[in-house]
Amino acid sequence: MDLLDLQKLSDLDFEGLCKDMLERLLGVRLEIFSSGPDGGIDLRYFAPNQTIIIQCKHWIKSGRAKLISHLFDSELPKLDRMQPTPIRYILATSVEMTPAAKAKILDGFRPYIQNTGDIYGIAEITSFLQNNPEVVRKNMRLWLNDATILEAMISKNVIQRSLHLADDIKETLRTYVPSANLRKAMNLVEKNHVVLVSGPPGVGKTTLTHVICAHYADRGFEVVEVSENVEDVYRVWHDGEPQIFIYDDFLGQTSLDDKLHKNEDSRLLSLIRRIRKDSTKRFVCTTREYVLQQARQRYERMDRGDLDPLTFTVDLDILGREERAQILYNHVYWSEWSNSAKRVFSHPDVYRPLIRHRSFNPRAIADLLSVPFDPDLGEPGTQLMAALNDPMGLWRHVFDHQLKESDRDVLHLLFTFGGKADLSALGNAYLAFSNRGLSHFKASLKILNGTLVRLFGEGVRSYVEFSNPSVNDFMLMKFSEEGDLIMRVLNNPYSFDQVALLWSYHDAPVDAELPARLNLIPFQAEVEQAAMATLERDETATHSRAGRAALCLGIAGSMHVPNIEDWAVRRLNQPGFVYRGSTGDITALIRITHGSANRRIRQLHDSVRLEGLTSLFNMDRSDRGLFIAASHAMDLAEFVDDGIREDLCRQADEMFEALLDQYSRDPDDVDSDMIDHSLQYVLRYGELWQHKWPSAATLMEGWLPEEAEDFEGSDEESDVDPEYVDGEVYLTMNSLSFLE
């Protein structure tokens, strides 16, 4: 606090400040009188036989000499005439008071002023304000520096936004369900005082920050919302006072161009370092993963800042059945739908498909339930299922009427990469696919990001992916309906991954429950041409060469594509080719070469099997590798010598029994990684779990994955008491049936 700060105050502002200060110091409530002739009183405390009069003199411009003259000429006579006679007189002034000046005033105002401690000059006032930040905060004009009134309005806007934030938090808490996401994020906040919450649009980043803020507000922290830049934080910073700052999209929504101005990266890192050292402060930010990665790439300081330990990525897959049920229940309960519509969701046949849906999304549920119920659109459960399950209904209007052709091409290409692609690779594929330049590609990404796609970073690489699985389903339907799209991709290929993706939707199992399938038979020549053009482009493919060979054998088994078949056979005849493949690639090659109707391919089986099994059994030579090898031996039992399989399983069984014994004696002394690998082995085979180690299920209940639960999803499920099958899920959803 300095002289210029108090100069910004009007007389009335100064009186209000003095009232707040002296009420705290005296421990009493003071009366404040309106402007005008005050009879020598600005503030007063009145009680029987104890009247305290306070004069507030904002005389910075006039100076100390004129103030003292005015006190003796005008204020002292008023005191002498006052009835009842005050027992104490306190002077508060914005003038700097020297010891000599205080002594002179004390001598002249006896007995009203009892000691110099009742004379507050600017030094005493500023000292008080520095130690009582809550008084500063209450008097907004004290935040003004000597810049402009506009800066005062910015500070005021910070307060106003924070007031609105409080209302948003209350609304969030009505429907929020605590999950492991909250626990993990809270651990980071407690440990580092800072957390950067990242994730794609719509997964609940802002919701999570609201709940974190509510937690700290309950602990006495002031909640402040920031939106402009880090200077907003410093404008409302109060040393020693608990504060939590929430900064949504702190790096911008799609780019850094409008966020990190000159030296903003340095100020941001400086603020983070300061808050990490201050036990009274917390800083919660949200950002999209891609933008965070972009910032690290563009700004050397941010790259050096090592933000990884402070970053938490929201993961919807972490939600269990109970949490999904609670989310559904909360949104249904607090919606404006009629009670009769809400009661429908209490039935297992309605809620089960919803909470198990692979595209379960709290935002989609909230959006539908936020509008009035329309019975013409179907039953309540049907409407909600449509919102999760019908990509055509969700995306067709946007795709056909709100996007340009260049935007659609980005979506077409992203689908051919499996719904997720390296940003650079997708850009290069766009150049091959379209006659437009990268400027159109970048412009389209800005349009699509946050709606149909999301951009994010993993390590040093940037990626693009569909924002929701339903977008991928929609694109699959588009390709199944429009053969010209398949032709365009095959005539302008960039990566073998694109050929593999199209083939996967042609060759998918009958029970894959796909919304559509692709028929590549009419494009046999184009498939072969595209494959041969991309098979040797190692830098553009995510499939290993062994994986490419397996896919080529699969295509050759269904189509007449001799060039593709020749390529695969040549590679498989190379010593060590199979050995370098991944587990999935090797397994696929063993099975394909064994079951192929093509005699030439079947002749490869013996060499592929020998080299492949040798690789699988030796991929991990550690103790945990024994469980991995035993699993491979069981999975490929028809291709493994009985003696080898039995020996591997015996060793794995003995090791698991030793782990069980150790766990029963001292659970904390068991390597959790070993436990995980052993359970992956034994849970994969029902007879091992149910008959060989029946006591292990009870002993190690905390380690059991959800997939090991009985009944769920089975044909017998509908014939069993839903309370028994669904447990807490049933109890949660069934309570809706009691709504009046």
Side-chain angles (χ1 to χ4, degrees):
M1 190 65 57
D2 57 29
L3 187 63
L4 289 175
D5 290 321
L6 294 184
Q7 276 186 325
K8 298 292 184 180
L9 302 181
S10 67
D11 289 349
L12 189 59
D13 292 332
F14 184 69
E15 287 183 8
L17 171 62
C18 292
K19 178 178 184 291
D20 292 335
M21 178 183 72
L22 290 167
E23 281 185 338
R24 182 172 289 267
L25 291 172
L26 299 176
V28 297
R29 293 295 300 273
L30 299 174
E31 299 174 88
I32 187 168
F33 293 85
S34 60
S35 300
D38 54 23
I41 302 174
D42 290 324
L43 304 171
R44 181 180 71 174
Y45 172 71
F46 182 80
N49 302 319
Q50 190 180 3
T51 302
I52 302 175
I53 301 301
I54 301 168
Q55 276 281 300
C56 307
K57 297 300 180 183
H58 192 31
W59 281 49
I60 286 181
K61 295 180 180 180
S62 301
R64 183 171 56 248
K66 287 189 176 181
L67 170 64
I68 293 175
S69 177
H70 170 79
L71 289 173
F72 281 97
D73 294 343
S74 180
E75 301 302 333
L76 185 57
K78 294 177 183 177
L79 279 174
D80 291 336
R81 295 193 299 268
M82 196 172 294
Q83 293 296 329
T85 302
I87 65 169
R88 187 176 180 184
Y89 181 86
I90 297 174
L91 172 67
T93 176
S94 55
V95 171
E96 183 177 358
M97 302 299 293
T98 64
K102 286 189 175 185
K104 182 176 181 179
I105 295 172
L106 176 62
D107 289 341
F109 275 71
R110 290 184 187 276
Y112 306 118
I113 296 181
Q114 300 171 2
N115 56 67
T116 55
D118 282 346
I119 302 174
Y120 293 85
I122 189 171
E124 289 77 21
I125 293 175
T126 55
S127 176
F128 170 84
L129 294 175
Q130 288 169 352
N131 293 304
N132 294 272
E134 67 280 0
V135 176
V136 179
R137 176 171 23 113
K138 192 174 180 180
N139 293 264
M140 189 195 73
R141 292 189 190 276
L142 289 174
W143 301 352
L144 299 175
N145 52 35
D146 58 345
T148 62
I149 294 298
L150 178 60
E151 290 182 343
M153 293 306 296
I154 291 176
S155 294
K156 184 177 180 180
N157 288 341
V158 172
I159 299 173
Q160 194 63 39
R161 285 195 303 270
S162 300
L163 293 176
H164 291 309
L165 174 63
D167 293 333
D168 292 340
I169 290 175
K170 291 177 183 177
E171 188 65 26
T172 295
L173 293 178
R174 286 181 19 161
T175 56
Y176 183 76
V177 175
S179 69
N181 282 318
L182 177 61
R183 293 190 293 274
K184 292 178 180 179
M186 282 296 304
N187 287 338
L188 281 179
V189 180
E190 282 295 291
K191 179 181 178 181
N192 302 306
H193 302 168
V194 177
V195 64
L196 312 182
V197 181
S198 69
V203 298
K205 299 186 299 294
T206 301
T207 296
L208 184 63
T209 61
H210 284 178
V211 178
I212 292 173
C213 286
H215 169 80
Y216 280 100
D218 187 57
R219 291 171 51 180
F221 279 68
E222 176 193 26
V223 178
V224 180
E225 183 178 24
V226 180
S227 68
E228 297 297 327
N229 52 52
V230 296
E231 290 303 313
D232 281 0
V233 175
Y234 288 115
R235 289 188 180 99
V236 294
W237 181 286
H238 309 304
D239 283 332
E241 182 172 348
Q243 291 177 293
I244 180 168
F245 305 98
I246 176 173
Y247 197 174
D248 213 9
D249 278 323
F250 79 110
L251 292 176
Q253 292 190 349
T254 58
S255 72
L256 301 168
D257 296 338
D258 297 327
K259 270 291 181 186
L260 293 187
H261 306 297
K262 185 177 180 180
N263 294 326
E264 179 74 1
D265 56 326
S266 177
R267 290 195 293 268
L268 178 62
L269 289 175
S270 177
L271 174 65
I272 288 174
R273 285 192 293 269
R274 181 177 179 183
I275 290 179
R276 292 190 70 179
K277 297 177 182 178
D278 192 330
S279 62
T280 67
K281 299 294 183 285
R282 300 292 186 271
F283 191 31
V284 183
C285 309
T286 70
T287 185
R288 303 182 184 191
E289 295 172 39
Y290 165 73
V291 180
L292 178 60
Q293 183 59 40
Q294 188 183 45
R296 286 170 170 161
Q297 293 175 342
R298 184 179 301 183
Y299 296 99
E300 181 183 359
R301 292 189 187 95
M302 293 196 72
D303 188 48
R304 291 199 310 264
D306 191 20
L307 300 178
D308 284 346
L310 309 177
T311 303
F312 172 74
T313 302
V314 178
D315 182 10
L316 281 183
D317 292 337
I318 208 169
L319 297 177
R321 293 182 307 135
E322 290 81 3
E323 291 162 332
R324 290 183 175 211
Q326 291 170 22
I327 291 171
L328 176 60
Y329 170 85
N330 288 349
H331 283 293
V332 170
Y333 181 86
W334 289 108
S335 74
E336 297 300 321
W337 288 19
S338 67
N339 285 345
S340 60
K342 295 177 182 179
R343 286 195 292 268
V344 172
F345 291 95
S346 66
H347 197 283
D349 290 345
V350 176
Y351 68 70
R352 279 177 183 163
L354 295 173
I355 65 175
R356 296 175 184 175
H357 200 286
R358 67 191 184 98
S359 298
F360 182 89
N361 186 285
R363 174 181 286 184
I365 293 171
D367 288 346
L368 179 65
L369 291 169
S370 66
V371 299
F373 174 67
D374 185 352
D376 293 337
L377 298 179
E379 292 295 316
T382 303
Q383 291 191 34
L384 193 50
M385 179 59 70
L388 299 176
N389 199 41
D390 182 9
M392 300 297 281
L394 287 173
W395 305 116
R396 183 177 290 282
H397 179 77
V398 174
F399 188 87
D400 291 341
H401 301 289
Q402 297 181 7
L403 299 180
K404 297 181 297 185
E405 189 61 33
S406 59
D407 306 333
R408 298 187 191 106
D409 280 348
V410 172
L411 298 176
H412 292 148
L413 284 171
L414 187 55
F415 169 75
T416 67
F417 282 92
K420 176 182 177 181
D422 177 272
L423 179 62
S424 177
L426 188 64
N428 291 331
Y430 183 87
L431 293 177
F433 185 74
S434 169
N435 59 4
R436 293 176 289 270
L438 282 178
S439 61
H440 292 273
F441 173 71
K442 294 177 181 178
S444 292
L445 281 181
K446 288 186 177 180
I447 296 296
L448 297 170
N449 189 32
T451 52
L452 288 94
V453 307
R454 73 177 185 110
L455 298 97
F456 63 99
E458 289 180 358
V460 297
R461 304 180 70 178
S462 300
Y463 293 88
V464 187
E465 74 173 6
F466 288 134
S467 60
N468 189 289
S470 65
V471 183
N472 191 81
D473 289 346
F474 169 72
M475 295 308 303
L476 174 57
M477 291 181 180
K478 293 291 288 185
F479 270 74
S480 70
E481 295 168 355
E482 302 176 23
D484 288 348
L485 288 177
I486 298 176
M487 182 75 77
R488 280 186 67 192
V489 173
L490 294 175
N491 285 338
N492 302 280
Y494 171 75
S495 167
F496 182 76
D497 290 350
Q498 295 173 280
V499 179
L501 185 284
L502 295 178
W503 174 253
S504 71
Y505 285 118
H506 169 91
D507 193 48
V510 176
D511 59 354
E513 298 183 356
L514 295 174
R517 304 173 70 87
L518 302 183
N519 179 16
L520 297 186
I521 298 299
F523 310 103
Q524 184 171 291
E526 288 78 13
V527 168
E528 183 170 45
Q529 179 181 346
M532 294 307 299
T534 56
L535 273 168
E536 297 291 342
R537 296 180 187 174
D538 294 343
E539 70 281 0
T540 70
T542 58
H543 291 82
S544 69
R545 287 203 165 197
R548 279 173 260 171
L551 285 165
C552 285
L553 294 183
I555 296 172
S558 297
M559 294 182 175
H560 179 65
V561 283
N563 291 327
I564 294 178
E565 181 182 317
D566 288 344
W567 183 91
V569 171
R570 288 197 305 271
R571 293 298 178 270
L572 291 173
N573 279 320
Q574 296 174 356
F577 181 83
V578 176
Y579 194 88
R580 293 188 293 270
S582 68
T583 298
D585 296 338
I586 293 173
T587 300
L589 285 170
I590 291 174
R591 294 189 182 281
I592 290 173
T593 56
H594 177 263
S596 176
N598 186 318
R599 180 173 176 272
R600 187 184 183 197
I601 295 175
R602 282 201 314 275
Q603 289 177 336
L604 297 169
H605 176 69
D606 287 342
S607 62
V608 168
R609 180 183 65 86
L610 178 61
E611 192 171 312
L613 291 177
T614 302
S615 175
L616 293 177
F617 293 157
N618 290 277
M619 278 187 174
D620 190 334
R621 304 305 296 269
S622 66
D623 287 344
R624 69 180 184 181
L626 181 58
F627 293 115
I628 297 174
S631 295
H632 291 320
M634 295 288 284
D635 290 341
L636 297 169
E638 66 268 38
F639 306 113
V640 180
D641 180 82
D642 290 343
I644 294 176
R645 186 183 69 256
E646 291 171 1
D647 185 58
L648 283 172
C649 291
R650 177 185 54 76
Q651 294 180 56
D653 293 351
E654 291 174 354
M655 184 173 291
F656 182 66
E657 288 174 345
L659 283 172
L660 280 178
D661 181 64
Q662 185 180 4
Y663 189 87
S664 64
R665 289 183 282 104
D666 187 0
D668 295 334
D669 193 42
V670 181
D671 186 334
S672 61
D673 188 53
M674 283 290 291
I675 290 290
D676 288 337
H677 278 82
S678 68
L679 287 178
Q680 288 175 25
Y681 164 61
V682 298
L683 287 174
R684 185 176 297 181
Y685 313 104
E687 68 276 8
L688 297 180
W689 186 251
Q690 297 171 17
H691 305 301
K692 202 162 189 178
W693 301 290
S695 62
T698 302
L699 180 63
M700 308 183 72
E701 184 177 359
W703 290 89
L704 279 174
E706 187 172 318
E707 289 76 13
E709 295 180 6
D710 294 334
F711 293 117
E712 182 181 349
S714 67
D715 293 337
E716 296 83 7
E717 183 179 52
S718 59
D719 299 327
V720 183
D721 182 357
E723 185 173 358
Y724 174 75
V725 175
D726 296 338
E728 290 295 329
V729 171
Y730 172 80
L731 296 177
T732 298
M733 300 307 299
N734 186 58
S735 62
L736 291 171
S737 65
F738 298 102
L739 294 175
E740 296 297 332

